[in-house]
Structure formats: C-alpha cells, structure tokens
Amino acid sequence: MADQPRRSIRSRAAIAGHPLHPVMIHFPIACLMLVVASDGAFLYTEDLFWARVSLWLAGVGALGGWVASIAGLVDLVTVKRIRQMILGWCHAILAVMMLSVASLNWLWRFKDPVDLLPWAVALTLMTAGLIALAGILGGMLVYDQAVGVDIDDK
C-alpha cells in the first residue's frame, strides 16, 4: 500500500510564504545553550566576566524566545490543521515551560549574577534539556507533518 502524499500546512505568520517561527528561534536557542558554556567557564575560572556573559545570554535568549513564540502561537491558534495536532500542542507546552524556566534563570541572575550554585546552574541545565525536547517535537512537526514547508504533491 503506497503512502498517501501529504499536503503542506501553510503558516499564517509568514513573510512571502516563509514561516517566521522556524527562522526566529535559532538566535534565542543559541543564546540559551551558550549559557551552559558560560556558566562552566565562570565555575572553572571564577572570572566575573563569564557571570555577566551568562546574565546577558539568559536575558537575550529568554526575551528572543518569547518574541519567537508569538509567531508559533499565531500558527497554533489560527491554522486548524496545526491546532488539531497533539504534537503541536506538546511542542507549545514544552516551549512555554522552557521559556518560563529560562526567564526565571535570567531573573535569578539579575538579582546576583555571581550566585549560580546550585539554582542558576540547575535552571540552565533544565532549560537546555527542555530546548532539546521542544526542538525534537518542532522538527517532527516540520519534517514529519510538513508544517510550514512546501512539498510536491506528485
């Protein structure tokens, strides 16, 4: 039995047909993942420079993630085929959890950038883990369900 060709699911939050959410997530993800490295550098060297780097990376990553989530939310709420997917809702819930932990991490550091152990490091590692899980689900939406991509229906 041949597989039925899947039709693309078009994004409503798009410019010239190019969905915004997948484009906007890369910079916040990079910032939030780099917090792991800058925390490690601070703990290894005890140089305050790395604590300030972590503070800025956490803040820029969390803020950028919330901005990127708006485009994802527009698609989730306005595109019926996405709204009907459990995978889409799981991705959204994990992303909100991750952004909440990342925001808490930034607020913790804002209070005292040097006070990392144990909570700030734990929040950093939780954020990284949630990024991985949300990323896997997001990849499944794009590559398995054709959300926001054009495929040939031949």
Side-chain angles (χ1 to χ4, degrees), residues 77-98:
V77 172
T78 63
V79 180
K80 183 178 182 181
R81 286 179 58 200
I82 298 173
R83 196 172 52 243
Q84 292 174 336
M85 292 181 186
I86 292 174
L87 190 60
W89 285 101
C90 291
H91 172 71
I93 290 167
L94 275 174
V96 167
M97 288 170 49
M98 179 270 300

Side-chain angles (χ1 to χ4, degrees), residues 10-142:
R10 299 238 182 232
S11 171
R12 294 250 169 94
I15 295 177
H18 301 285
L20 291 174
H21 179 68
V23 173
M24 296 171 70
I25 60 170
H26 293 93
F27 189 71
I29 287 173
C31 288
L32 292 172
M33 294 303 281
L34 283 171
V35 176
V36 176
S38 60
D39 278 358
F42 173 72
L43 293 173
Y44 183 73
T45 66
E46 297 182 7
D47 186 351
L48 295 179
F49 168 78
W50 293 112
R52 289 190 304 273
V53 167
S54 292
L55 169 70
W56 279 94
L57 286 171
V60 169
L63 180 62
W66 285 112
V67 171
S69 72
I70 293 169
L73 183 63
V74 167
D75 284 342
L76 181 66
V77 172
T78 63
V79 180
K80 183 178 182 181
R81 286 179 58 200
I82 298 173
R83 196 172 52 243
Q84 292 174 336
M85 292 181 186
I86 292 174
L87 190 60
W89 285 101
C90 291
H91 172 71
I93 290 167
L94 275 174
V96 167
M97 288 170 49
M98 179 270 300
L99 288 171
S100 298
V101 171
S103 298
L104 178 61
N105 192 10
W106 175 74
L107 286 172
W108 188 279
R109 292 165 191 278
F110 193 76
K111 184 184 81 167
D112 184 7
V114 179
D115 184 22
L116 298 183
L117 292 173
W119 297 110
V121 172
L123 292 172
T124 297
L125 295 175
M126 284 180 16
T127 299
L130 288 169
I131 286 171
L133 292 174
I136 289 168
L137 295 181
M140 291 171 68
L141 285 168
V142 171

Side-chain angles (χ1 to χ4, degrees), residues 3-16:
D3 289 337
Q4 291 290 340
R6 280 178 280 157
R7 299 196 59 83
S8 299
I9 300 175
R10 299 238 182 232
S11 171
R12 294 250 169 94
I15 295 177

